[in-house]
């Protein structure tokens, strides 16, 4: 599995600051793509332009779409992993990614979806993929921290691959 096959998705955010911080985190950790779905209010008016500026500055890509299901339909990822704190259940992120790596073919994508508002993702959205949690994160720590820890763990996994 290569880093370009992992695409972070920030879904349903209203905060321009949260959107900009997630973009900075995604690009700063070396990921080439960020998808933002269902950005509303100040996130849409101020956060999206700020994230676009960061994407340009880092030489990365930003895609903004109306809804998560639209992103799935358009890009057709092989796997959709919905990242939540451990207290909500689901498999370990590391285990799910290791399994996905075995199944991926050239050009396949894996979405890592993060909820942009507390507590995260709705029941309808949870049906669109598999719930996973980064090992060691049991409680709600906020979206930006969850993104940072999860993507750092993804980088560790990718570094250890042969």
């Amino acid at each position: 599995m290569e880093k370009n096959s992992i695409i972070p998705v920030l879904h349903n955010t209203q905060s321009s600051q949260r959107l900009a911080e997630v973009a900075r985190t995604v690009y700063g950790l070396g990921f080439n793509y960020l998808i933002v779905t269902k950005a509303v209010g100040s996130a849409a008016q101020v956060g999206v332009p700020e994230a676009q500026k960061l994407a340009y500055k880092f030489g990365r890509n930003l895609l903004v779409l109306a809804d998560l299901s639209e992103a799935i339909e358009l890009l057709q990822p092989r796997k959709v992993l919905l990242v939540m704190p451990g207290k909500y259940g689901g498999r370990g992120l590391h285990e799910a990614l290791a399994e996905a790596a075995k199944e991926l073919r050239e050009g396949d994508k894996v979405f890592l979806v993060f909820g942009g508002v507390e507590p995260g993702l709705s029941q309808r959205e949870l049906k669109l993929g598999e719930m996973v949690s980064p090992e060691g994160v049991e409680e709600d720590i906020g979206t930006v921290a969850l993104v940072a820890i999860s993507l750092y763990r993804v980088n560790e996994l990718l570094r250890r691959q042969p």
Side-chain angles (χ1 to χ4, degrees), residues 4 12-13 20 22 33 47 49 51 54-55 61 72 92 115 123 127 130 133 144 146 150 160:
N4 284 339
N12 191 19
T13 187
V22 166
Y33 302 97
L54 288 166
N61 301 287
I72 293 169
Q123 289 297 324
K127 293 177 182 172
E130 177 186 357
S133 63
V144 177
L146 188 61
S150 299
R160 283 188 247 147

Side-chain angles (χ1 to χ4, degrees), residues 1-71:
M1 180 181 339
E2 60 184 44
K3 192 175 273 191
N4 284 339
S5 64
I6 306 290
I7 301 177
V9 179
L10 179 63
H11 176 69
N12 191 19
T13 187
Q14 302 169 1
S15 167
S16 60
Q17 182 177 356
R18 182 173 295 143
L19 175 50
E21 288 174 356
V22 166
R24 188 173 290 111
T25 302
V26 168
Y27 302 140
L29 287 171
F31 290 84
N32 290 319
Y33 302 97
L34 172 61
I35 297 174
V36 177
T37 57
K38 198 175 174 185
V40 296
S42 71
Q45 295 171 347
V46 179
V48 168
E50 182 65 25
Q52 184 64 52
K53 195 166 45 173
L54 288 166
Y56 182 80
K57 178 181 171 185
F58 282 95
R60 305 290 201 254
N61 301 287
L62 176 70
L63 180 61
V64 181
L65 297 168
D67 200 15
L68 180 57
S69 57
E70 183 179 42

Side-chain angles (χ1 to χ4, degrees), residues 37-134:
T37 57
K38 198 175 174 185
V40 296
S42 71
Q45 295 171 347
V46 179
V48 168
E50 182 65 25
Q52 184 64 52
K53 195 166 45 173
L54 288 166
Y56 182 80
K57 178 181 171 185
F58 282 95
R60 305 290 201 254
N61 301 287
L62 176 70
L63 180 61
V64 181
L65 297 168
D67 200 15
L68 180 57
S69 57
E70 183 179 42
I72 293 169
E73 180 183 326
L74 181 65
L75 296 170
Q76 299 180 354
R78 178 94 165 164
K79 283 244 187 231
V80 177
L81 301 177
L82 308 158
V83 184
M84 306 283 285
K87 74 179 186 179
Y88 296 109
R91 249 187 341 161
L93 175 63
H94 179 50
E95 177 188 344
L97 284 173
E99 180 182 289
K102 294 175 188 171
E103 300 172 4
L104 290 181
R105 295 180 303 237
E106 183 75 28
D108 282 348
K109 297 172 249 352
V110 174
F111 280 5
L112 289 182
V113 181
F114 302 90
V117 295
E118 304 305 324
L121 301 164
S122 71
Q123 289 297 324
R124 181 181 70 84
E125 293 151 356
L126 291 175
K127 293 177 182 172
L128 297 174
E130 177 186 357
M131 269 183 34
V132 297
S133 63

